[in-house]
């Protein structure tokens, strides 16, 4: 499992636990945690896209 897949998995798990929770404070904490996992996944995806763009530019400069 990749880091991105793990982040998405934990996000999903937190949301499922939040739905099942009967305690409002616990539900809110799990929703916040899921949101944080989602943000981390988005940042990771953006970094990967930036790295791919940089590699593409490098290969163009090297004419590969």
């Amino acid at each position: 499992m990749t880091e991105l897949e793990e982040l998405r998995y934990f996000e999903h798990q937190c949301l499922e636990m939040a739905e099942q929770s009967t305690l409002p404070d616990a539900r809110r904490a799990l929703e916040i945690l899921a949101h944080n996992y989602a943000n981390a996944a988005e940042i990771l995806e953006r970094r990967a896209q930036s790295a791919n763009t940089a590699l593409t530019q490098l290969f163009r400069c090297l004419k590969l």
Side-chain angles (χ1 to χ4, degrees):
M1 185 179 291
T2 67
E3 187 176 357
L4 179 60
E5 290 170 332
E6 286 181 5
L7 290 169
R8 293 295 184 196
Y9 171 79
F10 289 127
E11 174 193 5
H12 179 73
Q13 291 298 316
C14 288
L15 289 173
E16 278 189 5
M17 287 188 288
E19 285 180 14
Q20 296 172 4
S21 178
T22 58
L23 302 170
D25 289 345
R27 186 180 315 118
R28 181 69 182 132
L30 287 163
E31 289 169 348
I32 290 169
L33 189 55
H35 180 74
N36 289 344
Y37 279 123
N39 285 340
E42 289 173 18
I43 290 168
L44 190 63
E45 287 176 323
R46 278 188 296 228
R47 285 184 182 167
Q49 289 172 348
S50 294
N52 286 339
T53 300
L55 282 173
T56 300
Q57 291 173 346
L58 174 64
F59 289 145
R60 279 190 198 133
C61 289
L62 297 173
K63 298 184 181 187
L64 295 178

